[in-house]
Amino acid sequence: MARFWWGFKKDGHSMHWKNWNALCRSKLEGGLGFRNFIDFNQALLAKQAWRLVDNNDSLLYRTLYHRYFSRSTFLQARLGHNPPYTWRSILWGRDLLVKGLCWKVGTGSSISCASDPWLPGTTNFAPVLCMDANNDLRVSDLITADRTWDYVALHRHFCSYDSDRILSIPLSLHAPADKLIW
């Protein structure tokens, strides 16, 4: 890329006026707005990893499931011993994917309040402070029978900042299954 951008001389020595990272900065920051190929590649691989999370019926999912993660889930799969480049790359994309995964609250029964990402408004989607000593509180424990948030339980287990974020989550009257979103 540098040879293409800065030219090529017969003796092989040409002046590179800016490094690649400077060229990848936005035009407002003084760069040329080129994409960083490493970040772009990881984003495309994260999209493939999302397809594996979201579509368990695909042929690719079933093939990779039987080969690499039949004893766990895709999100918990390990690299293994001497993995092929494709599997290594998909797991590298998964690392980026995991940073943006969040639970969409349905019934709330499969979401742990303290450890799962489920709250809007932060970069890690986790509560700032959960006062659950034994870590087994589920989101379903915070929802009343008529599908509204239980104010008493919210204020007992969470600080006011987290309670406000939880109350901003709309609840469906039909109680669909909890779902991972990206």
Side-chain angles (χ1 to χ4, degrees):
M1 288 299 286
R3 259 189 264 145
F4 172 79
W5 189 248
W6 299 117
F8 179 74
K9 293 183 179 179
K10 290 182 182 178
D11 64 356
H13 299 288
S14 61
M15 180 61 71
H16 295 215
W17 296 101
K18 290 267 191 180
N19 67 19
W20 185 249
N21 289 335
L23 295 176
C24 289
R25 282 188 268 163
S26 72
K27 292 178 183 178
L28 294 173
E29 295 174 336
L32 293 177
F34 293 156
R35 286 188 174 150
N36 183 328
F37 291 126
I38 294 171
D39 294 340
F40 185 63
N41 187 32
Q42 189 177 22
L44 292 176
L45 289 166
K47 187 174 181 179
Q48 294 303 317
W50 171 248
R51 288 182 180 171
L52 292 172
V53 170
D54 195 43
N55 188 1
N56 296 352
D57 297 328
S58 70
L59 179 61
L60 177 63
Y61 178 88
R62 291 183 300 198
T63 303
L64 294 175
Y65 171 79
H66 289 291
R67 176 69 175 98
Y68 297 110
F69 55 95
S70 61
R71 294 187 180 121
S72 66
T73 65
F74 171 68
L75 294 175
Q76 298 166 339
R78 295 179 182 223
L79 193 58
H81 177 69
N82 198 19
Y85 183 70
T86 305
W87 179 243
R88 184 184 306 269
S89 298
I90 289 173
L91 291 186
W92 182 53
R94 183 193 64 183
D95 293 343
L96 179 62
L97 172 75
V98 168
K99 293 177 184 176
L101 284 178
C102 180
W103 281 98
K104 181 178 179 181
V105 177
T107 60
S109 59
S110 59
I111 305 171
S112 170
C113 289
S115 60
D116 288 336
W118 65 285
L119 288 179
T122 61
T123 55
N124 65 358
F125 306 109
V128 174
L129 178 63
C130 182
M131 296 160 202
D132 180 31
N134 53 6
N135 230 6
D136 63 349
L137 183 69
R138 297 282 185 206
V139 173
S140 59
D141 299 333
L142 306 174
I143 301 173
T144 63
D146 59 344
R147 301 288 304 152
T148 59
W149 291 109
D150 185 354
Y151 292 100
V152 175
L154 286 178
H155 293 295
R156 183 174 352 125
H157 294 289
F158 296 96
C159 64
S160 62
Y161 175 71
D162 287 334
S163 296
D164 292 340
R165 289 182 2 194
I166 293 169
L167 291 171
S168 72
I169 300 172
L171 292 175
S172 172
L173 296 176
H174 304 294
D178 299 322
K179 181 177 177 158
L180 270 176
I181 57 175
W182 182 41

